[in-house]
Amino acid sequence: MRIEAKILISLGLFFGLMCAVYWTWSLENAGGVMMLFGMGLCLLPGSYYYWWSRRMGPRAEDDPNATQESGAGYIDAFPGSSIFPFILGMGAFFVVMAMVFGSWMLIPGLALVIWAALGGIAEGRRGGAR
Amino acid sequence: MTTTIDRITIDSHDHGDDHDGGRGHDEVHVHDHAEHHGPSGILNWLTTTDHKIIGLSYTVTSVIMLIIGGALAEVIRGQLANPNGHLVTLAQYNELFTMHGSIMIYLFAGPFAFGALANIIVPIQIGAPDMAFPRLNALSYWLYLTGAITMLLGFFVTGGAANFGWVGYAPLSDAIYSPGAGADLWIGGLMLTGFSAIFTGVNICATVFYLRAPGMTLFRMPIFTWNLLVVSILILLAFPVLTAGLIMLYADRHLGTHIFTVVGGGSPVLWQHIFWFWGHPEVYILALPFFGMVTEIIPVFSRKPVFGYKGMIFATLTIAALSLGVWAHHMFTTGVVLLPFFSIMSLLIAVPTGIKIFNWIGSMWRGQIWFSAAMLFSIGFVITFLIGGLTGVYLASPPLDFFTHDTYFIVAHFHSVVMALVIGGMAGLYFWGPKITGYMLNERIGKAQFWLLFIGTQVFTIPQYILGLQGMPRRMAVYPNDPQWQNLNTLSSVGAILIGISTVVFVLNIVASWKKHPAGDNPWDAHTLEWFTTSPPPHHNFFRLPKIRSERPTWDHNHPDAKALAHGKDAH
Amino acid sequence: MELMPQTPQGAPTRSRLRRLVVALALPIAGISLSGCTLPGFGAHQADTTTGQSAYRLWQGFSVVAAIIGAFVLALIVYAVVAYRRKGDTIPKQTQYHVPLEIVYTVIPILIVIALFVATIVTENKVLAMPKTDVAINVNAFQWGWGFTYEHQNAVAIGNTTDSPVMVMPVDTDVRIILTATDVVHGFYVRDFNFSRFALPGVKNQFTLHATKTGTFFGQCTQLCGLYHSIMYYKVKVVTQPEYQTWLSSFNTPEGKVAADTAKQVLKEQMSAHVPVKTQFSRGAY
């Protein structure tokens, strides 16, 4: 995970440098704030990965001489089919329509969103255990 | 509601009889312990979480959007063939170019770039069974589809669709100057597609970081996947800014805020800062996937590895880093931005783009070039992007931007660049179409399509460069009665017609090739991991995985005596 | 096994590199700053001093773009022709060549720096704001223009049916103070090689120094709504005596009445959207 961390942290530091130069030179606040948060958005996962990379063991995908045996075993459980993304999508659609056509559309919209949230969590719980 | 959960494992024993002629390569079998088969028919599509089906849905939907946006473009060019055209009214014309631009950028180019081929190809290029978050992936598609429907609904409401340009500058886009549901539908559609993009960005990033096959280190990933990783980071950096801006615009329109209006203490220019802070990374989000596609295709049809692999990655990262610092080159004529900073940053972005072009040429150099349809489209992409990119360098210079901004010079510049992306997209479809569908597209029809599209693109854009320099502004429904302007406009419209015909030829090719010639695993003798599996790949992508020792695992497996070398070294 | 390439086919030595840089920088600087006769590459040799500076910069950029474009296109065409497939042998699998890659990274950076220097020199000329007595307030609105003259009674206003004319003297620095009262508009005169946004709440300032008399066509270049396509105006550059005559025509009784009526119309256009804060843009930072 070290290279992933390095990429994100380098990007973040570059944005920080750009932000410092830009903000002090232009005194323009919108761009300065946006670049500052861009730096934050890169440093946040980057530092997380860096913290983790010092604690985790070597992974097969980071080992240039890995053989398939080294990656053997359980990879993950992948949800094979689920109706809940569609339901959540429809819920989001109605919520957006409520913005345009009237707040009554929030009723079906939020109902679908809540159904999808609860259903999705239950589905994940049922299938994800090892 | 039934749900299936598939547990994927890799065997720890090497199965010796792997139909590889006893070469003894290290392959293992991947087992898919599905609980039971999923639903069938339309319910299968509504509940799918398979990245290949989702990616195919994205491809079909975005190509339909391309056709709708293209149809609007043909009407625009029809109106502009005469200085005082009466094909549409002034009001309809404003809707036309707004929706043409919005559909092409938000509903075609973005989803095609990072939702269509990315979804299908990235997991199989790194040996993953699916995306890291399959249900989130499906949600991204449904948000895209509903967002597209939302935006297009604008045509059917009173007042018509949004008509303030695809950039929606305030105060023109606020409630006083653009009342009506069409504008709100535009905002709502963008919020849905924006979240769709953000979730895809999360998914691609997580997949590339966590689900690579053993031996597939980051620096052995194909350049297409690398570019999409960087695109995902850019999506996460940029799209939330757009979404925030849209919420602010909606608030100004309906919730009584005064963020972008002078009355009340706001600042119209603030919209431009927020919009373009997203808008400039957006154009690289659009371009980098197509760069990646072409970087995969050119080496395959030159029978050589990609030239300058690490340089390509460095160039992509540099483009991404710089792209966050150039947004105000779209605002040079506002008079309120720091011109030298944005000028030097914009000029510098030309350098990594140039590195990429030289690396594409280097990949062809001393190769054995095979002019398949995909290769023709790729070369056409490089040439068209060269033209568009060079004209972009002019625009990085404020004094030159002052007299080209908002003229047809800009329109020609960005159309050169996006038509290059369309040409590259066709290359991607011809190259990976066999892998995804299992059938070849007709090569001869494809080559005919290429010539129509390539020549049409140049005939379409080059007169517009001249028109812009002669002073014709953009977003004009009518123009002064100058015979030279009319001739150039008519010539540009002819180019647009050629592009339209090439799209028809493309659809005809799909129909004519439907389930005709099975493709086999690797019809192009291509290099990367996706060509190791069947066409189309099985559920969860791989029955067997080869040993991965370079960025060309399939090539190394098929041509063990032709490994990549540094310049000056001899093959041993 | 030799790791460094021996042949010079792609690896220029240091002194060659230095000569190449000088060879590139001189013509770019020279062309942009001198004004030697080159083709216009499509642009117009403007009728203001600042427009002419921009024109020369355009020519400089075009020379560079033409050379680079021709060079890269030649490489592509050569590769496509010379390396067509001639059989099934697998070619040498060259994957990288570090010195060459460094060359085509460093040379573009140097070209970019040269272009940037030329840009800054021109930009300082285009955005210069010399002190002057002639100042015109330009107000853009949906869908027309109003021109009022500082310290003068003169005013011109018009809309889509009747384009207004902005009169200004030749060979004089004219300060334009540009704003809008409703949405963003664009002030663009092709013959001056210049445009600037008219932003609500902001007074943009720039200088025009016309070099010849005549009537020049202007248009709005930022989408501003329904009649954006026909928001025309004209700039009429006249001699100094003609300008003074025109100004004094507004000091006669009839002229005063006409001016007051026009100013009232302009005020009505602007009154619905009075800017709360007005900030002067700095022009060049």
Side-chain angles (χ1 to χ4, degrees), chain B residues 267-281:
Chain B
S267 164
V269 152
L270 181 60
W271 167 262
Q272 296 181 41
H273 278 294
I274 295 176
F275 182 84
W276 286 117
F277 191 84
W278 163 85
H280 199 84

PDB file of all heavy atoms in Angstrom, chain B residues 267-281:
ATOM      1  N   SER B 267     -21.781  37.405  -5.510  1.00  0.00           N
ATOM      2  CA  SER B 267     -20.812  37.658  -6.560  1.00  0.00           C
ATOM      3  C   SER B 267     -21.072  36.727  -7.733  1.00  0.00           C
ATOM      4  O   SER B 267     -20.921  35.517  -7.609  1.00  0.00           O
ATOM      5  CB  SER B 267     -19.409  37.422  -6.022  1.00  0.00           C
ATOM      6  OG  SER B 267     -18.498  37.301  -7.080  1.00  0.00           O
ATOM      7  N   PRO B 268     -21.474  37.289  -8.893  1.00  0.00           N
ATOM      8  CA  PRO B 268     -21.665  36.411 -10.059  1.00  0.00           C
ATOM      9  C   PRO B 268     -20.412  35.654 -10.462  1.00  0.00           C
ATOM     10  O   PRO B 268     -20.480  34.510 -10.890  1.00  0.00           O
ATOM     11  CB  PRO B 268     -22.102  37.390 -11.156  1.00  0.00           C
ATOM     12  CG  PRO B 268     -22.709  38.538 -10.425  1.00  0.00           C
ATOM     13  CD  PRO B 268     -21.944  38.656  -9.155  1.00  0.00           C
ATOM     14  N   VAL B 269     -19.259  36.286 -10.282  1.00  0.00           N
ATOM     15  CA  VAL B 269     -18.028  35.629 -10.707  1.00  0.00           C
ATOM     16  C   VAL B 269     -17.760  34.376  -9.876  1.00  0.00           C
ATOM     17  O   VAL B 269     -17.094  33.451 -10.345  1.00  0.00           O
ATOM     18  CB  VAL B 269     -16.871  36.653 -10.631  1.00  0.00           C
ATOM     19  CG1 VAL B 269     -15.547  35.995 -10.383  1.00  0.00           C
ATOM     20  CG2 VAL B 269     -16.817  37.448 -11.896  1.00  0.00           C
ATOM     21  N   LEU B 270     -18.302  34.330  -8.670  1.00  0.00           N
ATOM     22  CA  LEU B 270     -18.080  33.161  -7.823  1.00  0.00           C
ATOM     23  C   LEU B 270     -18.589  31.900  -8.488  1.00  0.00           C
ATOM     24  O   LEU B 270     -17.967  30.839  -8.410  1.00  0.00           O
ATOM     25  CB  LEU B 270     -18.772  33.348  -6.477  1.00  0.00           C
ATOM     26  CG  LEU B 270     -18.605  32.205  -5.482  1.00  0.00           C
ATOM     27  CD1 LEU B 270     -17.135  31.999  -5.156  1.00  0.00           C
ATOM     28  CD2 LEU B 270     -19.399  32.468  -4.213  1.00  0.00           C
ATOM     29  N   TRP B 271     -19.733  32.004  -9.213  1.00  0.00           N
ATOM     30  CA  TRP B 271     -20.224  30.824  -9.943  1.00  0.00           C
ATOM     31  C   TRP B 271     -19.156  30.351 -10.920  1.00  0.00           C
ATOM     32  O   TRP B 271     -18.898  29.151 -11.036  1.00  0.00           O
ATOM     33  CB  TRP B 271     -21.524  31.132 -10.686  1.00  0.00           C
ATOM     34  CG  TRP B 271     -21.874  30.054 -11.668  1.00  0.00           C
ATOM     35  CD1 TRP B 271     -21.632  30.063 -13.014  1.00  0.00           C
ATOM     36  CD2 TRP B 271     -22.453  28.780 -11.383  1.00  0.00           C
ATOM     37  NE1 TRP B 271     -22.042  28.867 -13.579  1.00  0.00           N
ATOM     38  CE2 TRP B 271     -22.555  28.069 -12.598  1.00  0.00           C
ATOM     39  CE3 TRP B 271     -22.919  28.166 -10.217  1.00  0.00           C
ATOM     40  CZ2 TRP B 271     -23.089  26.775 -12.692  1.00  0.00           C
ATOM     41  CZ3 TRP B 271     -23.459  26.884 -10.317  1.00  0.00           C
ATOM     42  CH2 TRP B 271     -23.536  26.205 -11.540  1.00  0.00           C
ATOM     43  N   GLN B 272     -18.545  31.301 -11.633  1.00  0.00           N
ATOM     44  CA  GLN B 272     -17.559  30.904 -12.625  1.00  0.00           C
ATOM     45  C   GLN B 272     -16.369  30.211 -11.959  1.00  0.00           C
ATOM     46  O   GLN B 272     -15.855  29.218 -12.471  1.00  0.00           O
ATOM     47  CB  GLN B 272     -17.091  32.117 -13.424  1.00  0.00           C
ATOM     48  CG  GLN B 272     -18.211  32.733 -14.244  1.00  0.00           C
ATOM     49  CD  GLN B 272     -17.745  33.924 -15.055  1.00  0.00           C
ATOM     50  OE1 GLN B 272     -16.665  33.924 -15.642  1.00  0.00           O
ATOM     51  NE2 GLN B 272     -18.556  34.974 -15.077  1.00  0.00           N
ATOM     52  N   HIS B 273     -15.912  30.732 -10.816  1.00  0.00           N
ATOM     53  CA  HIS B 273     -14.802  30.076 -10.115  1.00  0.00           C
ATOM     54  C   HIS B 273     -15.170  28.659  -9.734  1.00  0.00           C
ATOM     55  O   HIS B 273     -14.417  27.713  -9.960  1.00  0.00           O
ATOM     56  CB  HIS B 273     -14.435  30.855  -8.843  1.00  0.00           C
ATOM     57  CG  HIS B 273     -13.539  32.025  -9.090  1.00  0.00           C
ATOM     58  ND1 HIS B 273     -12.240  31.892  -9.537  1.00  0.00           N
ATOM     59  CD2 HIS B 273     -13.744  33.342  -8.928  1.00  0.00           C
ATOM     60  CE1 HIS B 273     -11.688  33.096  -9.654  1.00  0.00           C
ATOM     61  NE2 HIS B 273     -12.588  33.988  -9.283  1.00  0.00           N
ATOM     62  N   ILE B 274     -16.348  28.478  -9.134  1.00  0.00           N
ATOM     63  CA  ILE B 274     -16.740  27.150  -8.670  1.00  0.00           C
ATOM     64  C   ILE B 274     -16.934  26.224  -9.870  1.00  0.00           C
ATOM     65  O   ILE B 274     -16.475  25.079  -9.882  1.00  0.00           O
ATOM     66  CB  ILE B 274     -18.025  27.244  -7.830  1.00  0.00           C
ATOM     67  CG1 ILE B 274     -17.738  28.030  -6.564  1.00  0.00           C
ATOM     68  CG2 ILE B 274     -18.563  25.863  -7.498  1.00  0.00           C
ATOM     69  CD1 ILE B 274     -18.955  28.254  -5.715  1.00  0.00           C
ATOM     70  N   PHE B 275     -17.644  26.726 -10.890  1.00  0.00           N
ATOM     71  CA  PHE B 275     -17.921  25.880 -12.039  1.00  0.00           C
ATOM     72  C   PHE B 275     -16.644  25.423 -12.719  1.00  0.00           C
ATOM     73  O   PHE B 275     -16.459  24.253 -13.029  1.00  0.00           O
ATOM     74  CB  PHE B 275     -18.813  26.611 -13.042  1.00  0.00           C
ATOM     75  CG  PHE B 275     -19.168  25.768 -14.216  1.00  0.00           C
ATOM     76  CD1 PHE B 275     -20.236  24.885 -14.158  1.00  0.00           C
ATOM     77  CD2 PHE B 275     -18.403  25.797 -15.377  1.00  0.00           C
ATOM     78  CE1 PHE B 275     -20.544  24.067 -15.228  1.00  0.00           C
ATOM     79  CE2 PHE B 275     -18.704  24.979 -16.455  1.00  0.00           C
ATOM     80  CZ  PHE B 275     -19.781  24.114 -16.379  1.00  0.00           C
ATOM     81  N   TRP B 276     -15.747  26.359 -12.956  1.00  0.00           N
ATOM     82  CA  TRP B 276     -14.552  25.983 -13.693  1.00  0.00           C
ATOM     83  C   TRP B 276     -13.543  25.239 -12.839  1.00  0.00           C
ATOM     84  O   TRP B 276     -12.705  24.523 -13.367  1.00  0.00           O
ATOM     85  CB  TRP B 276     -13.915  27.211 -14.364  1.00  0.00           C
ATOM     86  CG  TRP B 276     -14.706  27.643 -15.544  1.00  0.00           C
ATOM     87  CD1 TRP B 276     -15.354  28.819 -15.712  1.00  0.00           C
ATOM     88  CD2 TRP B 276     -14.973  26.884 -16.723  1.00  0.00           C
ATOM     89  NE1 TRP B 276     -15.999  28.845 -16.919  1.00  0.00           N
ATOM     90  CE2 TRP B 276     -15.780  27.676 -17.561  1.00  0.00           C
ATOM     91  CE3 TRP B 276     -14.609  25.604 -17.164  1.00  0.00           C
ATOM     92  CZ2 TRP B 276     -16.222  27.241 -18.800  1.00  0.00           C
ATOM     93  CZ3 TRP B 276     -15.041  25.166 -18.403  1.00  0.00           C
ATOM     94  CH2 TRP B 276     -15.835  25.981 -19.202  1.00  0.00           C
ATOM     95  N   PHE B 277     -13.588  25.383 -11.524  1.00  0.00           N
ATOM     96  CA  PHE B 277     -12.720  24.552 -10.693  1.00  0.00           C
ATOM     97  C   PHE B 277     -13.063  23.092 -10.926  1.00  0.00           C
ATOM     98  O   PHE B 277     -12.185  22.224 -10.919  1.00  0.00           O
ATOM     99  CB  PHE B 277     -12.875  24.900  -9.213  1.00  0.00           C
ATOM    100  CG  PHE B 277     -11.818  24.262  -8.337  1.00  0.00           C
ATOM    101  CD1 PHE B 277     -10.590  24.861  -8.178  1.00  0.00           C
ATOM    102  CD2 PHE B 277     -12.061  23.060  -7.695  1.00  0.00           C
ATOM    103  CE1 PHE B 277      -9.599  24.281  -7.390  1.00  0.00           C
ATOM    104  CE2 PHE B 277     -11.078  22.460  -6.904  1.00  0.00           C
ATOM    105  CZ  PHE B 277      -9.851  23.080  -6.750  1.00  0.00           C
ATOM    106  N   TRP B 278     -14.357  22.799 -11.163  1.00  0.00           N
ATOM    107  CA  TRP B 278     -14.747  21.458 -11.601  1.00  0.00           C
ATOM    108  C   TRP B 278     -14.467  21.294 -13.088  1.00  0.00           C
ATOM    109  O   TRP B 278     -13.974  20.270 -13.537  1.00  0.00           O
ATOM    110  CB  TRP B 278     -16.246  21.246 -11.339  1.00  0.00           C
ATOM    111  CG  TRP B 278     -16.805  20.086 -12.101  1.00  0.00           C
ATOM    112  CD1 TRP B 278     -16.793  18.778 -11.729  1.00  0.00           C
ATOM    113  CD2 TRP B 278     -17.440  20.120 -13.389  1.00  0.00           C
ATOM    114  NE1 TRP B 278     -17.362  18.000 -12.706  1.00  0.00           N
ATOM    115  CE2 TRP B 278     -17.786  18.796 -13.732  1.00  0.00           C
ATOM    116  CE3 TRP B 278     -17.764  21.155 -14.283  1.00  0.00           C
ATOM    117  CZ2 TRP B 278     -18.417  18.464 -14.922  1.00  0.00           C
ATOM    118  CZ3 TRP B 278     -18.398  20.834 -15.468  1.00  0.00           C
ATOM    119  CH2 TRP B 278     -18.720  19.507 -15.779  1.00  0.00           C
ATOM    120  N   GLY B 279     -14.795  22.369 -13.861  1.00  0.00           N
ATOM    121  CA  GLY B 279     -14.830  22.246 -15.319  1.00  0.00           C
ATOM    122  C   GLY B 279     -13.506  21.926 -15.953  1.00  0.00           C
ATOM    123  O   GLY B 279     -13.467  21.213 -16.958  1.00  0.00           O
ATOM    124  N   HIS B 280     -12.414  22.449 -15.380  1.00  0.00           N
ATOM    125  CA  HIS B 280     -11.193  22.095 -16.043  1.00  0.00           C
ATOM    126  C   HIS B 280     -10.736  20.667 -15.739  1.00  0.00           C
ATOM    127  O   HIS B 280     -10.430  19.923 -16.671  1.00  0.00           O
ATOM    128  CB  HIS B 280     -10.060  23.113 -15.866  1.00  0.00           C
ATOM    129  CG  HIS B 280      -9.092  22.846 -16.942  1.00  0.00           C
ATOM    130  ND1 HIS B 280      -9.230  23.362 -18.217  1.00  0.00           N
ATOM    131  CD2 HIS B 280      -8.083  21.971 -16.986  1.00  0.00           C
ATOM    132  CE1 HIS B 280      -8.299  22.820 -18.979  1.00  0.00           C
ATOM    133  NE2 HIS B 280      -7.591  21.977 -18.255  1.00  0.00           N
ATOM    134  N   PRO B 281     -10.693  20.240 -14.467  1.00  0.00           N
ATOM    135  CA  PRO B 281     -10.415  18.810 -14.266  1.00  0.00           C
ATOM    136  C   PRO B 281     -11.364  17.918 -15.057  1.00  0.00           C
ATOM    137  O   PRO B 281     -10.975  16.854 -15.527  1.00  0.00           O
ATOM    138  CB  PRO B 281     -10.595  18.639 -12.756  1.00  0.00           C
ATOM    139  CG  PRO B 281     -10.273  19.961 -12.190  1.00  0.00           C
ATOM    140  CD  PRO B 281     -10.749  20.960 -13.190  1.00  0.00           C
TER     141      PRO B 281
END
